[in-house]
Amino acid sequence: MTDAIRVALVDDQALMRAGFRALLEAEDGIEVVGEAADGEQGLALVRAQVPDIALVDVQMPVLSGIETTRRIAADPALAAVRVVILTNYGFDSYVFEALRAGASGFLLKDTEPADLLQAIEVVARGEALLSPSVTRTLIGEFVSRPPDRATAPGLEGLTRREREVTALAARGLTNEEIAAHMVISPFTAKTHISRAMTKLGARDRAQLVVFAYESGLVTARGGR
């Protein structure tokens, strides 16, 4: 990228914010546009600066990270902002709720510096911070619950191919793996996924995975 990736830090721990700021500002091509100590301040910061990425702690006073994420995702003026949730707890229920709220992915707070920087670049490119291994863990941990069809998006508008690629993406397959499975090119697989995201109103691949399970298109038991 020629332009700097603009990042907002939203975490109630001052030491954590300082550590992230020092790491990010030492990297060429990344600019920290501000810090906030709670969700309400974080929302105000994001609205004022409209960063490329907001690193948001999942548990904060005043306004939780999940609610902060939900409000960012719901604001048309912030459509370009990608939220990455920060958590100490790994694959807990907060993470799944954050993805449902509109987060593009999540990171553990003890993530290695190189992995954090790579994650910033991945999300800034518009990709979801959900590697196949992360997706599969989410499947095992959270989607064994019955699908919530009352709140799930409609899948009627998807073509058969779009439903198929959505199901494969929800099982954690990469575009290349989907292409091999369906005997199509990776570009075609990516096109099908992009169209499915548009039809379902998904901000990114993370939302597509959530939608696939909430609708019952796929289940944790591997059915479809």
Side-chain angles (χ1 to χ4, degrees):
M1 283 191 172
T2 55
D3 296 329
I5 301 170
R6 304 174 71 251
V7 180
L9 302 175
V10 186
D11 193 305
D12 62 332
Q13 295 180 310
L15 187 60
M16 188 64 64
R17 295 196 310 273
F20 278 126
R21 178 183 277 276
L23 174 63
L24 296 177
E25 290 190 334
E27 188 74 9
D28 290 337
I30 296 179
E31 175 190 359
V32 176
V33 299
E35 300 179 20
D38 61 52
E40 189 172 89
Q41 292 178 12
L43 186 59
L45 171 63
V46 170
R47 285 173 172 162
Q49 295 292 334
V50 193
D52 299 304
I53 295 172
L55 295 179
V56 179
D57 186 17
V58 72
Q59 290 185 299
M60 292 183 295
V62 186
L63 201 64
S64 72
I66 292 171
E67 184 58 29
T68 302
T69 299
R70 185 175 291 114
R71 295 189 189 187
I72 291 172
D75 189 339
L78 303 178
V81 178
R82 293 291 175 260
V83 176
V84 175
I85 290 291
L86 300 171
T87 176
N88 287 316
Y89 308 105
F91 298 94
D92 57 23
S93 59
Y94 292 114
V95 169
F96 187 66
E97 291 305 314
L99 292 174
R100 292 182 68 181
S104 293
F106 73 95
L107 287 169
L108 296 178
K109 287 189 175 181
D110 61 358
T111 294
E112 292 293 327
D115 292 336
L116 171 65
L117 296 173
Q118 181 182 26
I120 297 275
E121 293 177 359
V122 166
V123 176
R125 290 197 302 266
E127 300 175 26
L129 189 59
L130 283 180
S131 67
S133 61
V134 169
T135 302
R136 291 174 183 131
T137 302
L138 283 170
I139 290 169
E141 291 288 330
F142 300 116
V143 299
S144 57
R145 69 189 76 177
D148 185 5
R149 291 183 174 85
T151 60
L155 295 169
E156 298 81 6
L158 298 187
T159 65
R160 180 181 62 82
R161 283 298 217 187
E162 289 163 356
R163 289 168 66 94
E164 187 173 357
V165 297
T166 297
L168 293 172
R171 291 188 184 123
L173 273 66
T174 64
N175 288 349
E176 290 73 20
E177 290 168 337
I178 291 171
H181 181 88
M182 297 177 65
V183 195
I184 58 178
S185 71
F187 176 80
T188 300
K190 183 177 180 180
T191 298
H192 284 315
I193 288 174
S194 296
R195 288 175 178 167
M197 286 169 51
T198 298
K199 290 180 179 180
L200 294 173
R203 287 166 62 91
D204 54 32
R205 197 183 185 102
Q207 289 287 286
L208 191 66
V209 170
V210 172
F211 289 165
Y213 281 95
E214 289 190 326
S215 68
L217 179 63
V218 288
T219 71
R221 293 178 297 278
R224 187 180 59 170

